[in-house]
Each structure stands twice: as structure tokens, then as C-alpha cells.
Amino acid sequence: MRDLEQLVRKNIWNLKPYSCARDEFKGEASVFLDANENPFYSGYNRYPDPRQLALKAKISKIKGIGAEHIMLGNGSDEPIDLVYRIFCEPGKENVVAMEPTYGMYGVCADINNIEYRRIPLNADYSLNVKAMLDAADANTKVMWLCSPNNPTGNLMNRNDIYAVLNEFDGIVVIDEAYIDFSSEPSWLAELDKFPNLIVLQTFSKAWAMAGARCGMAFASTQIIELFNKVKYPYNINSLTQNIISERIDKIAEKESQVELILKERSRLAEELKKCNIVECVYPSDANFLLVKVADADKTYNALVGKGTIVRNRNTVKLCGNCLRITIGTKEENDTLINVLCMMYDV
Ligand SMILES: *Cc1c(COP(=O)(O)O)cnc(C)c1O
């Protein structure tokens, strides 16, 4: 890995962050006259903890990783954007990403005026490691990996990811939004071996908290300090900190829901394979199935006509005539199966 200082934009490396009232005084006290808040209790009259220490302590416990290795964002979308703002010089530097994958990496690159180099996956949706490494030059700061990948649903091969981590000398992001549905362990366990690794996870999928907007970035303490410098001071509001914290207390409920979703994933895959118009159900380590049909546009529109919405991925590279179908409740999946398998002439 290049020195961190070489990887970080000069203005960010030299940045003196805004110091908010809640940052300057962290101890116990009974009279707070430091933040120009309204003193009358409303439940939310006080600013939230800018470093979310209570929530991070809980996350630290369930993930087995120190709180100083955790950054929390307004969804994973916040750390995705911050990676560009911390590491990539607009109009000059570039990133390399596998394709197809989650659309936000490319959108945030465009917003930040960073060149985004798309490297197609192999036909079996595995990483083309050589092509990714070959695409990198002296101005490449970041490589984006997503495993399990959206929209293909598969895990990237572990040795392929090792190769990228070992051979690329910049930042490697592994987005694990779907890791709770996966048969393989998280890369979090490898964090201390790779100072260039950032792992992203989220409360939006398995934890059933998409509406609360809370994503996690895990990395070396040095990288986490950079995130802390650049993020808005109060980026996670008090309501979100409280409800995510309560949700973590109900981890058993999350685990039984994941188990149900996995059971339904197998059942739905088997049922879909019997449908006339289904050509292929791709293996999935996520809470959705990528399904190839005879004519994705027609099938999508027919499903919409019946009030069932899936994601049409027909125009996505390597996903021609594919629909991405989220695993729902048993009843929802039955509705989908009934509608889809009645279609003979689309
Ligand atoms: C859904 C998803 C996310 C989650 O984004 P949030 O902003 O945390 O809701 C991140 N990455 C991928 C690949 C996803 O599919």
C-alpha cells in the first residue's frame, strides 16, 4: 500500500475539522450552556452525540471489532460519497470498479467529477482480477468490490479478493450490504491484516431498518479518523441512534427473519425454475434472486399490471433479460410465483 498520506487528498490531510460543542466537552455535567440549544425538554432539544459512542459500543460488541474502527453514516451511501471526497482529486484521479454492481459508486464518482473505470465481471459473474489490476494506474486511488454483489447476487471468490487486496496499492472497498444472507464470513475478520481495506455494511437490509438510514464503514483507525474529519458533525440524528440501538437489542428477531428469508430464497428459486418463462435462476448469497426470463421488459410490465413490482435489470451489462426479485414474505412470494408461472405467452 502507498503511504496513507499519499492516498489522501492534500486539502483533506491538512484539514482542521469543525469542532462542535459536543466534541469539545465530552464529560459528565448537569448544566449544558455550550451549544445554544433550547433548554426545555422535547425529547430532542439536545444535539446528538457526533461520534455515536453508545451505539458504536453495541455494534462493536456484536461485530467483535473496536469502536475506533467504526464510522456510521446516513446509510452506506454516506461513506461511499466520503471515500471520493477523502481520497480522489476531482478532474484528475480515478477509481476502478467491477461491473455490473451497485449504482451509487458510479453516481458518486460523477458527482465528485472522478473518472470511474468499469471492468466487466467474467461471464460467470466472477471478478476479472487481472483486468481490474491492469486498469489501475498511478492516479487510481480506490477499487470498488461488492460481495455478495448487487444485482448478480453472488459472492466474489475469496482468493480473487485477496489478490486485489495484496496487489493493488490503493484503497479497496468491499461492500457487504448483503453479508447477513451469505454462506461465507465477512471480511471484517481480515481488517487488521489489510490497512488499505474499508468494509461497508448497513442496517438497511437484514436488520430491517432501511427507513432509519444507518450504514457502517469499518477500517483502520487512521481511515476512520479521516471519515470523522470530513463527515457532517451531527450526521446521525438522535432518533436514528436510539432506534438502531433498540433494534440491536432484538438481534434474535433479526436472525430468525434472516433464516426465514433464506428458506424462502430456496423455495422461490425452486418454484421459479419450474415456470415456463424462466430461463435461469442464478445462485444467490443475498436477499434477492437474479432471474433470466424470455423477455424481461414484457414480463416486468405484466407484473406491474398485476400490482407486483420487481427490478428490471434488462439494460444492465451482463444482465440482459434479467429481473432482480427481492425475497418477500411467504405470501408475497406466492403471489409472485402465481403471477409469473401463469405467463406463457410473454
Ligand atoms: C442496498 C445496498 C446498500 C445499502 O445502502 P444504504 O444507503 O445503507 O441503505 C449498499 N450497498 C449495496 C450494494 C446495496 O445493494
Side-chain angles (χ1 to χ4, degrees):
M1 176 182 164
R2 280 168 269 177
D3 285 341
L4 194 58
E5 184 171 354
Q6 279 178 274
L7 288 172
V8 174
R9 294 168 66 197
K10 218 179 206 68
N11 61 313
I12 301 299
W13 189 263
N14 294 327
L15 178 70
K16 190 181 172 315
Y18 176 72
S19 179
C20 58
R22 285 294 170 274
D23 256 336
E24 280 188 9
F25 179 83
K26 293 190 185 102
E28 292 290 317
S30 52
V31 181
F32 282 101
L33 303 175
D34 58 347
N36 297 347
E37 297 150 331
N38 182 325
F40 299 105
Y41 181 76
S42 74
Y44 296 97
N45 55 314
R46 297 296 176 185
Y47 278 104
D49 175 4
R51 296 205 167 209
Q52 307 103 20
L53 292 178
L55 179 52
K56 282 180 185 169
K58 279 196 186 179
I59 296 171
S60 167
K61 218 167 172 181
I62 58 167
K63 300 285 178 188
I65 209 147
E68 69 281 10
H69 293 286
I70 305 172
M71 178 268 177
L72 299 180
N74 185 338
S76 323
D77 291 345
E78 183 180 357
I80 290 169
D81 184 54
L82 289 180
V83 163
Y84 288 106
R85 294 170 62 198
I86 292 168
F87 296 105
C88 303
E89 200 58 41
K92 182 175 161 216
E93 293 178 329
N94 68 77
V95 302
V96 171
M98 51 190 249
E99 175 80 6
T101 191
Y102 186 47
M104 280 303 285
Y105 318 141
V107 171
C108 288
D110 288 345
I111 291 169
N112 288 288
N113 194 21
I114 306 300
E115 186 196 344
Y116 186 80
R117 300 183 173 175
R118 299 167 195 267
I119 306 303
L121 294 170
N122 296 314
D124 64 355
Y125 296 150
S126 62
L127 267 186
N128 188 338
V129 176
K130 183 173 184 303
M132 289 197 74
L133 293 172
D134 286 350
D137 59 26
N139 285 328
T140 304
K141 291 295 193 66
V142 179
M143 283 210 185
W144 291 98
L145 306 179
C146 185
S147 180
N149 187 35
N150 179 3
T152 58
N154 60 310
L155 279 162
M156 297 302 115
N157 178 293
R158 253 188 133 68
N159 287 329
D160 287 346
I161 294 184
Y162 274 123
V164 172
L165 282 166
N166 284 320
E167 287 168 51
F168 177 56
D169 61 1
I171 299 296
V172 177
V173 183
I174 307 178
D175 187 340
E176 294 190 331
Y178 300 99
I179 196 66
D180 301 80
F181 305 103
S182 155
S183 52
E184 273 192 33
S186 162
W187 283 86
L188 275 186
E190 313 268 345
L191 209 53
D192 51 0
K193 282 189 218 144
F194 297 102
N196 58 339
L197 173 60
I198 299 174
V199 175
L200 301 181
Q201 294 185 2
T202 180
F203 285 96
S204 294
K205 309 287 158 67
W207 288 94
M209 297 300 275
R213 310 306 301 131
C214 191
M216 298 163 267
F218 302 90
S220 71
T221 52
Q222 291 91 333
I223 291 177
I224 296 299
E225 279 312 309
L226 290 163
F227 276 119
N228 285 338
K229 246 169 48 153
V230 176
K231 76 178 184 68
Y232 291 153
Y234 301 116
N235 63 325
I236 309 289
N237 67 66
S238 314
L239 291 86
T240 295
Q241 291 190 42
N242 293 343
I243 58 165
I244 296 288
S245 181
E246 286 166 19
R247 184 70 187 156
I248 292 174
D249 293 338
K250 294 191 209 149
I251 188 165
E253 184 176 306
K254 169 234 171 196
E255 279 165 5
S256 69
Q257 289 175 353
V258 166
E259 219 169 288
L260 272 176
I261 290 167
L262 294 183
K263 230 172 83 188
E264 280 295 299
R265 184 177 76 192
S266 312
R267 184 180 73 92
L268 187 57
E270 288 317 303
E271 291 297 323
L272 288 173
K273 283 173 191 167
K274 295 181 205 159
C275 293
N276 236 295
I277 57 162
V278 169
E279 298 190 350
C280 178
V281 179
Y282 291 94
S284 172
D285 269 276
N287 66 336
F288 58 84
L289 291 170
L290 188 71
V291 179
K292 189 173 197 155
V293 294
D295 186 327
D297 292 346
K298 271 193 189 167
T299 307
Y300 173 79
N301 288 326
L303 282 169
V304 170
K306 299 278 187 187
T308 297
I309 316 302
V310 298
R311 199 84 199 270
N312 185 359
R313 301 284 73 187
N314 184 33
T315 58
V316 171
K317 195 173 180 82
L318 299 175
C319 295
N321 278 325
C322 286
L323 303 174
R324 193 194 69 192
I325 303 175
T326 307
I327 311 300
T329 62
K330 180 169 189 312
E331 293 70 29
E332 290 171 329
N333 301 333
D334 282 340
T335 303
L336 175 90
I337 293 161
N338 286 335
V339 178
L340 256 188
C341 294
M342 293 280 280
M343 295 176 186
Y344 287 94
D345 53 351
V346 290

